[in-house]
Amino acid sequence: MEHKPLKEYWSKRDFKITSEPKGKVLAKEMDRFVVQEHWASHHHFDFRLEMDGVLKSWAVPKGIPYKKGLKRLAVQTEDHPISYIDFEGEIPEGQYGAGVVKIFDKGKYKLIRRNEKNLVFKLEGERIRGEYSLLKFKEPNQWLIFKLN
Ligand code: MN
């Protein structure tokens, strides 16, 4: 999607104003995920996976499905820095994504399969557990997330 993984993230934010981390691309262990609940102009959940030195990110309006067979829309958003995995707080009015962010769940994941249009992984969180798939169904950034097991 981009050569500089965090360029879009940085360009959308003023770090003198928001308390979100500026962060950087890291080369380290890549096995955590987070789901952040975000009361922005539209309430949604942000699902993020540590991958390629950043947090690959999707906005999931209705949240990660708990039940096998449920499909939920997941819109891929800009890569976030790894340090965003711990972010909670209020993004000030006028800033991109203004509103409260709270961690809904966090844990480890195991990657099972990965290609350009499909990710399969097992989530081991406190609230969200099981095997999931993300499937890209429409360019440029429309995915579906569903529970396999
Ligand atoms: Mn968000």
Side-chain angles (χ1 to χ4, degrees):
M1 196 198 280
E2 63 258 336
H3 318 301
K4 292 197 170 183
L6 293 176
K7 202 178 165 189
E8 189 180 347
Y9 173 86
W10 289 325
S11 72
K12 285 180 168 172
R13 293 167 176 81
D14 184 342
F15 296 99
K16 290 198 273 300
I17 299 173
T18 183
S19 59
E20 296 165 288
K22 187 164 182 209
K24 55 184 177 182
V25 180
L26 295 178
K28 52 171 277 195
E29 56 168 312
M30 292 293 157
D31 64 350
R32 295 180 300 167
F33 79 95
V34 69
V35 178
Q36 283 151 325
E37 191 166 5
H38 189 180
W39 287 265
S41 52
H42 297 280
H43 171 262
H44 61 275
F45 294 83
D46 289 298
F47 176 61
R48 310 189 199 280
L49 289 173
E50 281 187 333
M51 204 173 254
D52 305 336
V54 295
L55 292 174
K56 294 288 173 190
S57 298
W58 291 262
V60 187
K62 293 186 173 171
I64 310 301
Y66 279 98
K67 271 203 233 163
K68 205 170 147 176
L70 285 179
K71 289 183 177 65
R72 297 274 171 81
L73 177 68
V75 179
Q76 190 170 17
T77 57
E78 76 276 20
D79 295 342
H80 280 49
I82 297 287
S83 49
Y84 209 94
I85 204 162
D86 298 311
F87 178 74
E88 289 190 302
E90 184 164 6
I91 300 167
E93 219 174 296
Q95 282 293 291
Y96 182 72
V100 171
V101 175
K102 279 194 175 159
I103 294 174
F104 177 82
D105 199 12
K106 200 161 136 182
K108 302 254 174 147
Y109 80 93
K110 285 195 187 99
L111 187 62
I112 296 168
R113 192 165 65 240
R114 179 187 186 184
N115 62 48
E116 248 176 57
K117 296 193 167 183
N118 186 215
L119 289 169
V120 179
F121 45 84
K122 193 176 177 190
L123 298 180
E124 295 161 354
E126 299 284 327
R127 306 168 83 163
I128 304 168
R129 305 182 70 84
E131 210 174 299
Y132 284 85
S133 180
L134 265 166
L135 191 68
K136 193 182 213 176
F137 72 96
K138 199 174 161 194
E139 296 293 344
N141 52 20
Q142 311 276 301
W143 298 64
L144 291 170
I145 186 165
F146 52 96
K147 191 169 191 199
L148 297 172
N149 259 304

